[in-house]
Amino acid sequence: MQTLQKVALVFIIIGALNWGLVGLFDFNLVETLFGIDNIITRIVYVLVGISGIIDISLLFEDFE
């Protein structure tokens, strides 16, 4: 499960960087790379959302 959480974390970072670009510069990198209303763009957004759900469990783990 640790590998899945790391892969999910990569998608979360991609999503966070994209939202940072949108907020700071009104520039959506995902839409620029894959196009607006494209299925690949939607898949990237869905993967980022699923990744967030997967990594919610990290909030409840004890870090040693």
Side-chain angles (χ1 to χ4, degrees):
M1 188 67 162
Q2 197 171 18
T3 303
L4 178 61
Q5 287 177 330
K6 287 182 181 179
V7 171
L9 184 59
V10 169
F11 278 103
I12 292 169
I13 292 169
I14 290 169
L17 292 174
N18 190 55
W19 275 111
L21 289 171
V22 169
L24 290 172
F25 306 112
D26 197 26
F27 176 73
N28 191 326
L29 182 62
V30 174
E31 288 182 356
T32 300
L33 291 175
F34 302 115
I36 300 172
D37 294 333
N38 189 343
I39 189 68
I40 297 173
T41 302
R42 293 178 59 92
I43 290 171
V44 170
Y45 291 146
V46 168
L47 287 174
V48 169
I50 291 170
S51 297
I53 293 169
I54 290 170
D55 276 354
I56 285 175
S57 64
L58 292 176
L59 292 172
F60 304 105
E61 284 186 10
D62 289 332
F63 295 106
E64 297 179 28

